[in-house]
Amino acid sequence: MPQIKNLTVLGTGVLGSQIAYQAAFHGFAVTAYDIDDAALEKAKGRFSQLAGIYVSQKVAGAADGKAEAALDNLRLSADLGDAVAEADLVIEAVPEMMELKRDIYRRLAELAPSTTIFATNSSTLLPSDLKESTGRPDRFLAIHYANNIWVQNIAEVMGTADTDPAVFDAVVEFARNSGMEPIEIAKEKAGYVLNSLLVPFLNAAAGLVLQGISSPDMIDKTWRIATGAPTGPFQIFDVVGLTTAYNISAASPDAGSQAFAAYLKDNYIDKGKLGVSTGEGFYKY
Ligand code: NAD
């Protein structure tokens, strides 16, 4: 099985910065790549913010120096060739645009050592949509994280029919060694496991409100009491952010999704109620 010691993360936005910091926190040598120095300056800010969050949220070992030590395991680069020269694994977390991702894999194929494994963190694209551009489909797969990875610490690992099983196992092992709970997905599926469950659940909740059957707080209460879950669907909407929920609903051709987008816009978004991030969404925080 390939050994993974050096990680390179492409893109240092919301998820890329978390993936890089989490691996550095667990002792991996991490290079974070982004397009220019301005983006890397932002990344520095994100990394020190994450160090503070790990301490304040009491991640094991963070207060004993690990949060600070993680920063020493992180190197920043705006030169793709330099960033991947020593990489055993490259995790790509660049914007969710097919052509942009394909372009970066084509460049990576030229620049990275032939042994380097490539993994995408894409939420909505299948690894099969990208594999040809990697030039190494046997060493390519998806590793999908959830936001706030230090607490919601799953990593869904999903290959294509071409992924070498030893590569799959190496990435599962990397996930485990970087503090994640690996979720091994046996067959390629849009939405992985998490979103295959969550999206229909949230849509069903939206439908109950739109049809006037129940209210967000009653639906959440039902779900919490009856299943023992800590949160109901509208509490989840508030965490995800109502702008994201609106964008996804508005982009869907389905009539129910369109109606939910309009409902979110009129009742929440136009009133500045965007969820937990603004202090109010379906609930006040
Ligand atoms: P983001 O917009 O916060 O960050 C994207 C980063 O990529 C930015 O720092 C940007 O400068 C950089 N970038 C742009 N073009 C680039 C290029 N050509 N090469 C390298 N870097 C480039 O995006 P995000 O929310 O972190 O999402 C990134 C990926 O992670 C997407 O595929 C998304 O589906 C996935 N994802 C996001 C979440 C989430 O909750 N935000 C959760 C799971 C997976």
Side-chain angles (χ1 to χ4, degrees), residues 10-16 33-35 39 46 92-96 100-101 104 107 120-124 144-147:
L10 309 182
T12 57
V14 175
L15 253 286
Y33 165 83
D34 214 307
I35 40 175
R46 289 182 193 269
E92 167 270 306
V94 307
E96 193 73 342
L100 189 146
K101 287 189 193 274
I104 204 158
R107 288 159 59 207
T120 181
N121 179 46
S122 174
S123 294
T124 60
H144 183 240
Y145 293 79
N147 198 5

Side-chain angles (χ1 to χ4, degrees), residues 6 16 22 35 42 45 52 57 62 86 99 102 111 123 137-138 141 160 168 173 176 188 209 239:
N6 298 331
Q22 171 78 2
I35 40 175
K42 277 196 205 153
Q57 297 195 6
E86 308 269 307
E99 272 318 307
R102 282 184 176 158
L111 295 167
S123 294
D138 58 324
L141 73 177
T160 72
F168 185 93
E173 189 64 12
R176 192 173 287 118
E188 206 176 11
V209 169
V239 172

